[in-house]
Amino acid sequence: MLSEANFEHILAKKYMRTEIMPHAFCPGCGLGIIERIILMAFEELGQEEWEHTVFVSGVGCSGWAPLYFRRDAAHTLHGRALAFATALKVSRPNLNVIVVMGDGDSMGIGGNHLIHAARRNINLTAIIATNMLYSLTGGQMAPTTPEGARTQTTPYGNIEPNFNLMELLKAAGATYLAKWTTYHFIQAKNSIKKAIEHKGFAAVEIVFQCPTFAGRYILGKPDPRDMMQWLKENSIPLSAAKNKSPEELKRKIVIGEYLHRTDRKEYTERLKELEEKARR
Ligand SMILES: Cc1ncc(C[n+]2csc(CCOP(=O)(O)OP(=O)(O)O)c2C)c(N)n1
Ligand code: SF4
Ligand SMILES: [Mg+2]
């Protein structure tokens, strides 16, 4: 475990490409906290786990997050990170493959890959960074943009309902699911540890503050500290949400561990069995 005093120093020096700092994120962006959450998880999991890890990311501000880590990382195409990660995992099943994607990347353009990765129950850890819009390209509406919210492409308010990622992945066959915000970083760290250790398709969604676009357009709160406060005040634990109506849950972030099942076989193991059968 880390002591608070040497925490930042250890994490940055040990795990990050400090020589390419400062990074590209806007001041106050929550992606720095997401990087820290991932590194805290690895600090607790240990060096061996870290050395067996490869990151894959898509395109977007979120896609940059793992590129600052001192590990191999494939920065792929918008929406296609899971397709690359699937090929990598199938060809090198001993690698620990972690896929970092934005909400647009994973649920918009890459939505189909997400469903099928869950359906296969392939042993990947998907870390989904949700900022409620497409940031890298200037703040357009995403499948996670709250109903009624103003973005660059919805100046009169978004008329589309919000995407329920956890329920979708549960139905598709994922076997570990959790959702937190950057305010709940200890819980998020614990879920990422579990997701990495889990054998099967695991997704951890982390809602984070994008002061530059979500702050200005959606919340009218461009100060990252106000956004953190908003994340805190608008999060509701899964257990409490069960007694609320859909209307009451509009614009709420329902946080918690949604699913942890061990009754489904993992994809690369099934593939190995099939290969052995075919060779006989
Ligand atoms: C095939 C393709 N379509 C569109 C784009 C342009 N594009 C790049 S990033 C992006 C949105 C990223 O949004 P998100 O995945 O939510 O990540 P964020 O920047 O919000 O972290 C888009 C539309 C692209 N690079 N490739
Ligand atoms: S645009 Fe938003 S998500 Fe992208 S780096 Fe800036 S604050 Fe972060
Ligand atoms: Mg986004």
Side-chain angles (χ1 to χ4, degrees):
M1 292 286 255
L2 292 167
S3 77
E4 276 299 320
N6 54 15
F7 193 81
E8 303 295 344
H9 182 66
I10 290 179
L11 289 185
K13 258 198 124 167
K14 189 166 166 185
Y15 297 102
M16 298 192 85
R17 299 182 197 276
T18 45
E19 65 278 11
I20 57 165
M21 299 289 193
H23 55 45
F25 306 138
C26 309
C29 175
L31 287 169
I33 301 178
I34 294 184
E35 285 178 325
R36 174 178 159 153
I37 292 170
I38 297 170
L39 296 181
M40 280 162 64
F42 274 104
E43 183 62 15
E44 291 185 12
L45 286 168
Q47 193 65 17
E48 203 184 322
E49 193 72 59
W50 177 247
E51 281 171 10
H52 279 90
T53 296
V54 172
F55 290 90
V56 179
S57 69
V59 171
C61 297
S62 310
W64 279 95
L67 307 181
Y68 293 95
F69 298 157
R70 280 192 205 286
R71 293 256 31 105
D72 284 341
H75 192 197
T76 67
L77 300 172
H78 190 39
R80 307 291 171 244
L82 279 167
F84 279 81
T86 298
L88 181 59
K89 187 70 189 174
V90 164
S91 56
R92 299 282 301 277
N94 293 334
L95 285 178
N96 174 31
V97 182
I98 301 195
V99 194
V100 181
M101 298 169 285
D103 42 3
D105 199 32
S106 57
M107 296 176 230
I109 189 166
N112 217 16
H113 294 296
L114 190 63
I115 293 167
H116 294 292
R119 176 176 66 86
R120 294 185 186 113
N121 194 32
I122 185 161
N123 193 6
L124 299 171
T125 300
I127 298 175
I128 297 176
T130 291
N131 55 4
M132 303 181 283
L133 37 63
Y134 294 167
S135 277
L136 188 78
T137 41
Q140 296 86 5
M141 181 195 79
T144 46
T145 302
E147 240 178 301
R150 207 169 63 87
T151 66
Q152 197 192 67
T153 46
T154 57
Y156 303 105
N158 173 30
I159 56 166
E160 297 185 12
N162 219 210
F163 211 88
N164 192 330
L165 177 69
M166 295 287 113
E167 291 307 323
L168 177 95
L169 290 182
K170 199 190 275 186
T175 43
Y176 183 84
L177 292 170
K179 176 168 179 166
W180 301 104
T181 79
T182 41
Y183 180 81
H184 307 87
F185 66 94
I186 296 290
Q187 295 93 322
K189 178 263 293 172
N190 290 337
S191 285
I192 288 179
K193 275 172 70 184
K194 277 192 180 177
I196 291 171
E197 287 176 328
H198 177 72
K199 198 178 272 184
F201 187 74
V204 179
E205 184 183 8
I206 305 177
V207 184
F208 73 100
Q209 66 277 34
C210 161
T212 303
F213 293 114
R216 278 173 32 222
Y217 286 138
I218 300 182
L219 302 178
K221 295 178 193 294
D223 186 321
R225 290 165 300 186
D226 293 338
M227 289 195 79
M228 281 294 260
Q229 191 67 22
W230 182 87
L231 290 174
K232 177 187 172 194
E233 286 167 4
N234 288 281
S235 295
I236 169 167
L238 195 51
S239 50
K242 287 196 173 118
N243 308 318
K244 305 267 183 218
S245 68
E247 198 50 41
E248 287 173 301
L249 291 176
K250 261 192 185 170
R251 291 220 169 206
K252 291 284 177 216
I253 306 164
V254 182
I255 52 168
E257 187 177 272
Y258 280 69
L259 183 72
H260 192 180
R261 55 185 280 209
T262 52
D263 59 325
R264 286 197 70 206
K265 255 201 167 165
E266 192 274 322
Y267 183 74
T268 57
E269 282 190 348
R270 294 193 68 186
L271 205 56
K272 200 168 161 222
E273 283 170 13
L274 192 67
E275 266 174 35
E276 281 161 10
K277 194 171 158 191
R279 281 210 181 92
R280 266 185 238 136

